[in-house]
Amino acid sequence: MAHMKCGDAIAYMHEYLDGDLPLEQRRKLKHHLSECPACAARFQSMQHTEALLRAMPVEAAPADLTHKIMKSLPKTRSPKSWTTWVRRHPGMSAAAIFLLIMLSSFVAMWNQGQQLSLKGDDLEHVVVKGRTVIVPEGERVEGDLIIENGELQVLGEVDGNLTVIDGNVTLASTAHIAGKVKEIDRAMDWAWYKLTSWFDTLAYGS
């Protein structure tokens, strides 16, 4: 009979105690236990533990357990008038909920903090110092530039639109903006800007 490793023997011990070990593997396990005192002691300890667990009394569930659980569950409430209206006007309800969620999200994002945010396709030549974003003189930024919660100083060129949200923009005499310059300082204007940007994304994919 081939020599069995102790690791395999331990795995066989668990299967044996669970009653899942085939007859051939049982014979191999018994042969190994007869030659390995360490595994034999381990198996005896496992058998002892298994016997203790089986000897422990099983606590029966109280007879009124089901009644107590059902009693603790919240009672079903009768539908209110507004829920009836929602069921009768599903289209208008969905539109109203959508607008409410969008507006709440926009206002929450507006108030979420004053951390500087800088977005654009070409930020290689943009310099950030604290909360101030600088387009240095002689440098050119390709595409749009969006700054939130910060100060913007343009000394060079921006080949696109420039949007400053909740901040200030300073254009030097050397500055050149190819597109539009938009400053957004009020939450509702910002929400409208975000909403139109979102619709543009859906319509044009960018």
Side-chain angles (χ1 to χ4, degrees), residues 12-205:
Y12 281 177
M13 292 179 199
H14 290 285
E15 294 184 26
Y16 179 87
L17 294 174
D18 292 337
D20 299 328
L21 191 64
L23 180 60
E24 182 62 25
Q25 279 73 17
R26 289 185 188 180
R27 293 175 179 172
K28 293 181 180 180
L29 175 61
K30 290 182 179 180
H31 179 73
H32 178 79
L33 294 178
S34 64
E35 296 181 343
C36 180
C39 285
R42 184 186 186 96
F43 182 65
Q44 184 178 2
S45 177
M46 292 174 64
Q47 282 184 312
H48 181 67
T49 303
E50 180 79 8
L52 290 176
L53 290 175
R54 291 184 179 181
M56 293 179 63
V58 179
E59 294 290 339
D64 58 345
L65 178 61
T66 302
H67 174 71
K68 289 182 178 179
I69 294 176
M70 297 302 295
K71 187 178 180 180
S72 64
L73 295 177
K75 296 181 180 179
T76 304
R77 298 180 179 178
S78 57
K80 297 181 179 180
S81 57
W82 68 270
T83 57
T84 304
W85 186 90
V86 169
R87 286 197 296 267
R88 291 180 179 177
H89 306 85
M92 295 179 62
S93 302
I97 293 173
F98 171 77
L99 291 176
L100 180 61
I101 292 175
M102 292 294 291
L103 182 59
S104 300
S105 300
F106 292 151
V107 174
M109 286 188 290
W110 174 264
N111 294 320
Q112 68 181 355
Q114 297 297 320
Q115 185 177 1
L116 174 67
S117 175
L118 175 61
K119 299 178 183 178
D121 297 329
D122 178 18
L123 302 178
E124 181 179 356
H125 303 296
V126 175
V127 177
V128 179
K129 294 183 178 180
R131 293 171 54 84
T132 303
V133 179
I134 304 172
V135 179
E137 184 177 355
E139 299 292 351
R140 181 177 181 179
V141 176
E142 300 286 347
D144 297 339
L145 194 59
I146 302 173
I147 294 91
E148 298 185 44
N149 303 320
E151 308 295 324
L152 173 64
Q153 296 179 5
V154 182
L155 308 176
E157 301 181 31
V158 176
D159 188 15
N161 296 322
L162 183 60
T163 304
V164 180
I165 304 170
D166 195 20
N168 298 317
V169 57
T170 302
L171 303 179
S173 58
T174 56
H176 175 73
I177 311 299
K180 297 180 180 180
V181 179
K182 181 181 294 185
E183 292 186 64
I184 302 173
D185 296 322
R186 298 193 302 271
M188 290 306 298
D189 289 343
W190 183 82
W192 177 252
Y193 164 77
K194 285 292 187 180
L195 187 61
T196 54
S197 299
W198 182 75
F199 279 114
D200 288 342
T201 302
L202 289 181
Y204 304 107

